[in-house]
Amino acid sequence: MKIYIFLVVFFFIENFSYSQFKTKYPEIPRIDVHIHISDVDKVPNYIRVRDTLLSKYNVNFAFWITLEAINKPINSPDSISNAADGRMLCAFADYKPHLGLNHTAEYFEKKKSEGFIGYKFWFGSYYRVLKNGEIGIKDIDDPRLDSVFSNAEKSGVTMLSLHIADPNGPYGNRLDCIQDPVFFWRQIRSFENVLIKHPKLKVIAAHCLWLICQDAQIDYLRYMLNQYPNLYIDLAATFQYYYLDNTANLRDFMIKYSDRILYGTDSGGIKSDEVENIALRYSKTFRILETDEMVNGAFWGKDRAIKGLNLPKEVLENIYYKNAIRLYPNLKSSFRP
Ligand SMILES: [Zn+2]
């Protein structure tokens, strides 16, 4: 009986303290550079998440970049922005590697003039979308894809949240996506060939370029950011894997490269009854970045204990909004805290 009472009390304290998270930094606005919605009627629930984050967690969630819902082009970036009370900008996207094959420089110019701020290219792991060897493009440095990068480079279009490879964990815990480390590294190396060939191309790589699920991968990420000054990364959908890393290493990495890292979640459409839960999931990512507490779960994935990184304020400012304002076309003029 005593143990039972203890457990009940412990459960309440645990949950009570959990819901009590309030940011230490209400003055820092946050931008999510990686969400996926295409429909105007899906926008208002993001504003409700913003309201909930403010009232419950003291968080000022200021702005979003939508990369379109998968295979659902946005027709009017202006109508998305209007529905979001001016707090959302749009990229245009291709969610199969071969869809970019015929993009000319004129096509990129046209998209820019329609109000899109960049191009989201999804390369994958190709086999997730190109079944049965469809068209046979297996590496992002395939010469047939070269025109995508040259034309984006020529027209000054930023590659927003470009997705390469998938998570590859350490031996014994390879995770579900890529079991084969040789395939994983082939994807990373072929992406590096693209950067070598297109030094002026500005790329924000999605998901920390997936070099975030092993400590040695973080070292390679250090090398990539050192080597390629036009390369940046977003944090979307990575938080749930931080338990695989040495916390001090990850923290050191984020501090040193804070001017190259952007906050993101990979959030999609939000239903009305999901607003509270999405706000809670956002709050977990802030808690991971801002505190040194053990955080139960992240935005995605299983509820697993993740040690907070307790990042300094200047680092958080860079990651949460300063880098995005500096890098993303039109953001400076559209942004308000
Ligand atoms: Zn995404």
Side-chain angles (χ1 to χ4, degrees), residues 34 36 120 207 266:
H34 191 144
H36 296 278
K120 153 87 179 181
H207 317 302
D266 219 354

Side-chain angles (χ1 to χ4, degrees), residues 297-332:
F299 195 90
W300 295 106
K302 293 185 188 133
D303 276 357
R304 194 188 279 277
I306 297 162
K307 176 77 176 157
L309 298 173
N310 195 23
L311 295 172
K313 189 178 178 189
E314 318 75 66
V315 170
L316 293 166
E317 284 174 331
N318 279 344
I319 294 174
Y320 280 151
Y321 78 104
K322 285 190 175 169
N323 295 336
I325 289 178
R326 194 160 48 85
L327 274 168
Y328 284 51
N330 306 351
L331 190 48
K332 199 172 181 179

Side-chain angles (χ1 to χ4, degrees), residues 63-99:
F63 215 93
W64 293 268
I65 307 293
T66 175
L67 311 168
E68 298 187 335
I70 291 174
N71 299 330
K72 205 166 183 197
I74 289 172
N75 297 319
S76 162
D78 278 350
S79 52
I80 296 274
S81 173
N82 291 339
D85 193 20
R87 294 187 180 278
M88 200 175 282
L89 287 171
C90 306
F92 61 105
D94 284 318
Y95 284 96
K96 284 190 177 186
H98 63 291
L99 293 177

Side-chain angles (χ1 to χ4, degrees), residues 35 120 197 214 244 323 331:
I35 68 162
K120 153 87 179 181
K197 204 160 173 199
Q214 302 182 31
L244 293 165
N323 295 336
L331 190 48

